Amino acid sequence: ADDSSIVEVLDEWLSQFRAGDLPDPDEAIARHPHLAEELRGLWSTALVAERFATSEIPETTGRARGEDDRGSSSDGPTAAWGGGSAADREAADLVSGPFLELPARFGEYLLEEELGRGGMGVVYRAKDLQLGRIVALKMILDASASSDADRARFRAEAEAVAQLDHPQIVPVYEVGEIEGRLYFTMRLVRGCTLAAVLEKGPLEKGQAAATLAPVCRAIDYAHSRGVLHRDLKPSNILLDEDGQPFVTDFGLAKRIRTDAALTNTGAILGTPNYMAPEQATGNRGQLGPTTDVYSLGTILYHMLTGQPPFQA
């Protein structure tokens, strides 16, 4: 019954979207409150999948990460979260909408620029007013509307990354809560995402291997610490100004054997183009280190061919 309800809601949303209207996820969630977590997770994924299924593969534009509609320079800082393909950004914007007028004060931080957002969190370039340093600050999107599961997953992300100390994993500086809004700060990597680089076309095979090898070592380290990433894709790999890669966005991270309750059986979380088969079926019991290894393979495929292995 739950599966048929989810299919019915998704069909309703996509019909509205194809007709040129923007569906209201909250209205459907109010009708099916026990499916709120699944519906929130599937909403943005459905829009991205629809984009891939109804359009041709876009030609390479050569547009760098920083040259999006916000008008920032490609030489500017890149968030430890957010970004990705144009479809990713469009879906995230449709789901989340406008947030804060900037600059804005947030505790001891000055939020200067929005750098990216997803279904649950938004990332800003922020200035730590006490230490005078620039950081990437991620906060939960809507403290009043977020469910207990949303808050638990957000905390789990911060805790998972905080325990990882590896040169190719973006480090966490501080975890906290201000006026009921969970947040954490991370190092701000100046550069672009691997996704932005791949918009210009495939990489030479030696360059591809040299770029991905440190990422593989970082993920192997995370696995040794009991953490699965579960959302590895080019937009979650940052390249600094020297071309060094950094793994980021552990928003779907799963601590092996400790946080199984955060994902219900049947809830499909991740990015379809880079998702392992066992993850695509929502079978959480089969997820393990090879799930991330599969995603690394799809990233390598994209680096060598200029497109992900699956388009729809």
Side-chain angles (χ1 to χ4, degrees):
D2 286 351
D3 286 346
S4 62
S5 297
I6 290 173
V7 171
E8 179 183 343
V9 170
L10 287 177
D11 187 51
E12 175 187 319
W13 281 345
L14 291 177
S15 295
Q16 294 175 18
F17 186 67
R18 290 164 185 164
D21 298 325
L22 182 61
D24 180 7
D26 291 334
E27 186 274 332
I29 289 170
R31 287 188 277 124
H32 306 280
H34 65 295
L35 298 176
E37 183 178 355
E38 286 88 343
L39 291 175
R40 285 194 186 98
L42 288 171
W43 166 228
S44 58
T45 301
L47 289 184
V48 174
E50 175 70 7
R51 176 77 174 257
F52 278 118
T54 59
S55 63
E56 296 180 357
I57 301 170
E59 295 181 2
T60 299
T61 63
R63 193 171 69 174
R65 154 77 166 125
E67 297 171 341
D68 60 9
D69 294 338
R70 295 185 181 92
S72 57
S73 166
S74 60
D75 293 329
T78 299
W81 263 269
S85 69
D88 286 336
R89 292 193 293 270
E90 178 177 314
D93 289 342
L94 284 171
V95 173
S96 306
F99 189 52
L100 288 178
E101 291 188 13
L102 302 177
R105 184 75 179 262
F106 180 69
E108 294 303 317
Y109 296 93
L110 181 65
L111 307 180
E112 298 179 335
E113 179 187 2
E114 182 179 319
L115 297 171
R117 62 172 65 200
M120 185 173 62
V122 59
V123 183
Y124 297 97
R125 184 185 70 213
K127 183 175 183 179
D128 185 328
L129 299 176
Q130 287 188 323
L131 300 178
R133 68 181 173 187
I134 302 298
V135 300
L137 185 149
K138 181 174 185 178
M139 68 170 70
I140 201 161
L141 269 172
D142 188 341
S144 61
S146 57
S147 67
D148 290 341
D150 291 335
R151 294 173 65 84
R153 186 172 289 116
F154 190 91
R155 285 187 183 277
E157 175 185 357
E159 292 169 1
V161 183
Q163 69 172 300
L164 300 178
D165 182 12
H166 188 278
Q168 256 57 61
I169 296 177
V170 180
V172 165
Y173 291 147
E174 181 186 14
V175 180
E177 183 172 348
I178 295 176
E179 297 179 354
R181 201 176 290 276
L182 298 173
Y183 76 94
F184 57 97
T185 61
M186 302 185 74
R187 173 185 170 187
L188 187 69
V189 177
R190 298 179 183 274
C192 66
T193 66
L194 177 59
V197 172
L198 293 178
E199 287 181 2
K200 302 176 184 179
L203 302 182
E204 186 274 326
K205 61 184 180 181
Q207 182 185 4
T211 300
L212 195 62
V215 174
C216 293
R217 287 192 285 269
I219 295 303
D220 179 62
Y221 165 80
H223 291 169
S224 74
R225 303 285 293 178
V227 175
L228 303 180
H229 190 287
R230 297 201 300 171
D231 196 21
L232 289 167
K233 55 186 176 181
S235 60
N236 285 340
I237 298 174
L238 305 180
L239 302 176
D240 68 10
E241 293 168 331
D242 296 322
Q244 289 298 307
F246 297 85
V247 181
T248 188
D249 205 341
F250 282 76
L252 298 185
K254 175 183 175 65
R255 284 178 294 173
I256 303 171
R257 298 182 300 278
T258 62
D259 69 348
L262 289 184
T263 303
N264 294 332
T265 299
I268 301 172
L269 302 176
T271 303
N273 306 71
Y274 307 95
M275 190 186 296
E278 66 272 19
Q279 191 172 2
T281 61
N283 192 337
R284 73 178 190 204
Q286 295 182 1
L287 301 189
T290 53
T291 302
D292 283 345
V293 173
Y294 182 99
S295 296
L296 290 170
T298 64
I299 294 171
L300 181 60
Y301 182 101
H302 192 164
M303 295 168 78
L304 295 175
T305 67
Q307 64 184 40
F310 304 106
Q311 300 299 316

